[in-house]
Amino acid sequence: MGAVTLRVGDLDAMIRYYRDGVTLELLSHDGPTAVLGRGSTPIVILEHAPELRHASPRDAGLFHTAILFDTREALATAIYSVASKHPGTFTGSADHLVSEAFYFTDPEGNGVELYFDRDRSQWSWVHGTVEMATLQLDPNAYLREHLTEGGADAAASGAGLGDAVVGHVHLAVGDVASAREFYVERLGFATTAAMGDQALFVSAGGYHHHMAMNTWNSRGAGRRGLALGLGKVEIVVPGADDLGALGERMSHFRVATRDDGRSLAFDDPWANLVEVRAAG
């Protein structure tokens, strides 16, 4: 997964949240657009759009952007930083068997997951379905075990540890059947888990999930109007041949695409913009 673009009403406040709280680095800030990430990897792109209003919580759109950290120490540092500087934004935590996850809501209501993956050798697969659960995970106990003195010092200074990437993106959609038809049958992801007509988890390359779609708040939602929140989801494929094959696939299914020679962009059934580009 590539960067997630968010349209925001208060650019300065959102930069502070993702930089000083989540411990991302401000990679660039050019007028109304700020790019935050780690090293040379963009994670969140903020686009200032103060003329827009917030969508209804019942609308389709972003459920959360999930940021994957490379060590438990790095994750604990980020959790401690957000909890210290934005204590009202923590919403929960869970052991999902494949991962350890902590949930927040940014100042404009966008969901944020900070997580660490267990080693793939510890994931359990049965007939192509990965075993996931939602088990209790005590955030204070997690910090006691994994927050180091160096991590606490880094968090206090607004810095982070290690590498981080967008691990997966979770969307709010109107119905799971349409999500499966679009993201699996048309786009080509493989289903890795499902919760009846409530949620669908999909991936490529044997990951537990690169994307998920649920109807928990948005059942029956139609196409989105222009509003604050999700602007774009970016997917990265290995090479130009993969991008070309995807273009042919989408053409076969009569999905309207915008091709600029470097990427393919298209809307899902709820007008969530997806852009696919080749790596490199």
Side-chain angles (χ1 to χ4, degrees), residues 108-184:
E108 298 198 1
N110 302 292
V112 182
E113 176 184 338
L114 309 179
Y115 77 111
F116 171 77
D117 271 338
R118 287 196 170 91
D119 189 83
R120 288 192 180 213
S121 65
Q122 299 179 49
W123 303 357
S124 176
W125 293 84
V126 179
H127 303 304
T129 298
V130 67
E131 184 181 3
M132 294 191 288
T134 300
L135 307 178
Q136 182 177 0
L137 181 60
D138 184 332
N140 292 313
Y142 197 88
L143 291 180
R144 285 194 296 271
E145 184 174 358
H146 300 296
L147 181 65
T148 63
E149 184 176 343
D153 290 343
S157 66
L161 298 180
D163 291 328
V165 297
V166 176
H168 64 269
V169 177
H170 199 144
L171 300 178
V173 299
D175 70 280
V176 165
S178 296
R180 181 180 290 107
E181 197 274 340
F182 185 83
Y183 283 98
V184 177

Side-chain angles (χ1 to χ4, degrees), residues 203-224:
S203 85
Y207 191 54
H208 53 72
H209 68 293
H210 285 110
M211 296 193 72
M213 306 92 201
N214 77 65
T215 61
W216 296 326
N217 301 319
S218 54
R219 184 177 298 277
R223 290 178 65 84
R224 301 170 60 209

Side-chain angles (χ1 to χ4, degrees), residues 83-94:
S84 300
K85 296 163 190 170
H86 302 273
T89 65
F90 176 71
T91 58
S93 54

Side-chain angles (χ1 to χ4, degrees), residues 16-82:
R16 287 193 297 270
Y17 185 82
Y18 284 97
R19 181 191 62 198
D20 304 336
V22 180
T23 69
L24 302 182
E25 302 160 10
L26 184 61
L27 304 183
S28 66
H29 186 184
D30 183 12
T33 303
V35 180
L36 296 102
R38 285 284 178 87
S40 60
T41 303
I43 293 175
V44 177
I45 300 172
L46 306 176
E47 293 184 345
H48 195 207
E51 72 283 2
L52 299 181
R53 296 188 177 187
H54 291 281
S56 163
R58 307 292 298 177
D59 287 346
L62 182 69
F63 191 72
H64 62 235
T65 300
I67 301 173
L68 173 63
F69 293 85
D70 62 345
T71 66
R72 288 185 169 95
E73 180 189 16
L75 172 57
T77 299
I79 296 164
Y80 177 72
S81 178
V82 183

Side-chain angles (χ1 to χ4, degrees), residues 185-232:
E185 302 302 327
R186 296 189 180 193
L187 188 50
F189 278 115
T191 298
T192 56
M195 297 174 60
D197 64 353
Q198 297 184 45
L200 175 71
F201 301 83
V202 304
S203 85
Y207 191 54
H208 53 72
H209 68 293
H210 285 110
M211 296 193 72
M213 306 92 201
N214 77 65
T215 61
W216 296 326
N217 301 319
S218 54
R219 184 177 298 277
R223 290 178 65 84
R224 301 170 60 209
L226 191 61
L228 296 174
L230 181 63
K232 182 173 66 177

